[in-house]
Amino acid sequence: MNDTTDNRPDGNDHSNSDEPSPQRATPAPAPHTAPAATSRPDLPPVPTRSPAAAAAAWPPPAAGTATPQPGAPAHGTYASAPSGAPTPTGHGFGPAATNAHPTLTLPESASTPARKKSSAPRIAALLVAAALVGGGAGLGGTYAGLSLWGGENASSVSGPTAITVNDPQDVNATAAVATKVVPSVVTISATGSQSGGTGSGVVLTADGYVLTNTHVVTLDGQTGNATISVTTSDGKVYAATVVGTDPTYDLAVIKLQNVSDLTPIEFGDSSKLNVGDATVAVGAPLDLPNTVTTGIVSALNRSIQVASSAAPSDGSDEQQTEPGQESPFRFDFGQGQQSQSASQTIKIAVIQTDAAINPGNSGGALVDDEGKLIGINVAIASAGGSSSGGQSGNIGVGFSIPADIAKRISSEIIENGSATHGLLGASVQDAASQQGATTTGALVAEAVSGGAAQAAGLTKGDVITEFNGIPVTNSIDLTAQVRALAAGAEAQVTYLRGGQERTAEVTLGSMPTS
């Protein structure tokens, strides 16, 4: 596929273009006098104080911390079910807490030295979206792609409206991170004419801009006219509209209506991550809001290829496939019947994590041990696939779009309604697949006349091994890194010519948007 002619997502052609955890502050227990121990060994232990006395002994919230407002739901209560869903009893979650607990304050972490980027080969497993719960469309078969997470609109299970802390004298860093991040993560419900589903989103501004995935708001590419509603962590529901989508990197921005007091997420620097750094994923897997899971950064600079979730260009409710462009990425409505095949794929650079990511986590937050956003959860790997609509769950291999990329794209969408992407102006192939290959990389099959590659001195036969210091092991790696940059961005390319390593400065062109 030619890097200069593809529109938005890439096609199916195999030739491609282009700190320590925060210290825990433990409140001192209130002094009390314990009653004398019983001398009867045959009797069970007697509690030293009543629950009411224990509650009264809790220390008051530290100065500056948030306290529950009059009329606000107490921690441990449950949000009401969305319209049309069965009313949950809450028994599966245990009894609700009866006292509002103080909000935890995230301790400041010591500054850490600059971290180096690391590299790892591209995942070679089946990829499925962390996608929609009850989403209208998904991908089956034995190839990488977005996967169905259910059939018709799924029944909703209500969940806690905030992080519940029953013992503030014994909390860990994860609880502090969760308390900070959960108010900045929302649950998104998208409904089309034939189906619907839910995903997650991250609050960007107090007045209602929210970042999520394109496949959440288009129902895996089925519709460009979905009705969007958003539920915040405290159980409030808002109507929302789509500001813009970016199918090239599967990101979208929506805007909540009539809101002014949301809690924006704090962005971290995803370029300074190390393998092994702690991660926390926050979202609504299986429509369970305010869910928190933990893990580490498993790998950096992965590149994955998934099916495009671009909405139909004519505004219809089904994505059409042109004759002769059948793809192994098949949409399935969950009842066994196959719909149109996706004719395009996208290549994106991702962070790999083993924090549990499941259906419904798409668009949610991946944060570091300071509660700063380092990624937008987008996909998971599955050990196998099915075209019958069977669900896949977490196996410890999840993927998030780096926060640095997400921040750039979301800012452009908010400002302009769309985002730009770099264009190398070259057709590339996997170097290792060529006869007599001695190295991995992206082989330049053609440098288009007048393109960025040719202007930088690249020619047919060059093997690109690094892009802006990030190792390139194949054509997907290169395309993902090029697309991550804005049109007109400058980059340094390292390549081999005749066995000798060279470098070139490239000023990227602009990828067509339509």
Side-chain angles (χ1 to χ4, degrees):
M1 180 196 62
N2 193 309
D3 182 82
T4 62
T5 58
D6 50 351
N7 293 333
R8 285 166 52 182
D10 297 292
N12 275 329
D13 195 334
H14 293 294
S15 297
N16 299 289
S17 51
D18 348 311
E19 324 193 19
S21 299
Q23 297 298 316
R24 182 175 67 216
T26 305
H32 66 277
T33 302
T38 178
S39 60
R40 293 282 305 278
D42 57 324
L43 295 178
V46 178
T48 59
R49 53 179 174 174
S50 69
W58 283 4
T65 58
T67 56
Q69 297 299 316
H75 295 295
T77 59
Y78 301 100
S80 60
S83 176
T87 302
T89 64
H91 293 165
F93 298 94
T98 57
N99 293 290
H101 306 308
T103 301
L104 297 181
T105 301
L106 183 67
E108 295 184 2
S109 295
S111 59
T112 55
R115 301 167 176 166
K116 297 187 299 181
K117 298 177 182 177
S118 67
S119 63
R122 178 175 57 93
I123 187 72
L126 177 72
L127 299 177
V128 292
L132 307 172
V133 177
L139 300 173
T142 58
Y143 290 83
L146 303 179
S147 177
L148 173 72
W149 299 116
E152 299 301 322
N153 291 341
S155 298
S156 295
V157 181
S158 67
T161 60
I163 296 299
T164 300
V165 177
N166 288 316
D167 187 357
Q169 298 185 53
D170 187 20
V171 296
N172 58 25
T174 301
V177 168
T179 302
K180 175 181 178 179
V181 175
V182 161
S184 300
V185 179
V186 300
T187 302
I188 299 172
S189 175
T191 305
S193 62
Q194 300 179 8
S195 58
T198 63
S200 304
V202 173
V203 176
L204 297 176
T205 64
D207 61 348
Y209 284 101
V210 169
L211 176 61
T212 186
N213 293 134
T214 292
H215 74 255
V216 170
V217 299
T218 65
L219 293 172
D220 289 343
Q222 276 197 110
T223 179
N225 300 308
T227 299
I228 308 295
S229 67
V230 174
T231 304
T232 58
S233 64
D234 58 359
K236 297 178 181 178
V237 180
Y238 299 90
T241 56
V242 176
V243 177
T245 63
D246 182 62
T248 300
Y249 246 83
D250 198 24
L251 291 169
V253 175
I254 61 176
K255 178 68 165 61
L256 279 59
Q257 300 175 9
N258 302 317
V259 64
S260 60
D261 58 354
L262 298 183
T263 304
I265 197 83
E266 181 180 1
F267 275 82
D269 188 345
S270 57
S271 70
K272 294 183 178 179
L273 291 173
N274 286 331
V275 170
D277 284 349
T279 60
V280 177
V282 182
L286 305 178
D287 205 9
L288 298 171
N290 306 338
T291 295
V292 178
T293 57
T294 64
I296 62 169
V297 173
S298 301
L300 293 167
N301 304 320
R302 293 291 197 202
S303 299
I304 61 174
Q305 177 173 285
V306 294
S308 168
S309 291
S313 58
D314 60 358
S316 65
D317 278 347
E318 290 187 357
Q319 182 169 333
Q320 301 295 323
T321 303
E322 296 181 10
Q325 291 189 353
E326 287 297 314
S327 160
F329 305 93
R330 294 189 176 277
F331 289 103
D332 187 330
F333 287 98
Q335 307 301 325
Q337 60 276 56
Q338 296 290 328
S339 95
Q340 289 87 352
S341 299
S343 62
Q344 295 176 317
T345 62
I346 58 175
K347 291 86 175 173
I348 57 178
V350 291
I351 299 165
Q352 181 183 329
T353 181
D354 67 346
I357 297 175
N358 281 291
N361 270 122
S362 276
L366 186 72
V367 301
D368 61 15
D369 58 5
E370 298 179 28
K372 295 180 180 180
L373 186 73
I374 56 173
I376 297 295
N377 299 323
V378 64
I380 59 176
S382 172
S386 170
S387 61
S388 62
Q391 294 202 14
S392 297
N394 170 66
I395 60 171
V397 183
F399 304 104
S400 298
I401 300 168
D404 293 354
I405 299 174
K407 186 176 184 179
R408 195 265 305 173
I409 291 175
S410 62
S411 296
E412 289 191 21
I413 291 176
I414 292 173
E415 184 175 350
N416 305 314
S418 62
T420 64
H421 295 277
L423 189 72
L424 185 60
S427 294
V428 293
Q429 301 172 345
D430 294 348
S433 67
Q434 307 303 308
Q435 185 174 5
T438 59
T439 186
T440 59
L443 174 69
V444 178
E446 178 186 7
V448 178
S449 177
Q454 186 187 64
L458 294 170
T459 63
K460 179 178 180 179
D462 291 341
V463 177
I464 298 174
T465 58
E466 286 188 8
F467 186 86
N468 269 351
I470 297 174
V472 171
T473 61
N474 50 40
S475 59
I476 293 179
D477 280 346
L478 180 60
T479 301
Q481 293 299 329
V482 169
R483 298 289 187 262
L485 298 182
E490 295 184 353
Q492 184 179 76
V493 175
T494 301
Y495 62 98
L496 298 176
R497 178 182 294 173
Q500 294 185 343
E501 186 175 275
R502 303 186 181 190
T503 61
E505 297 295 329
V506 178
T507 301
L508 298 176
S510 179
M511 180 182 174
T513 57
S514 60

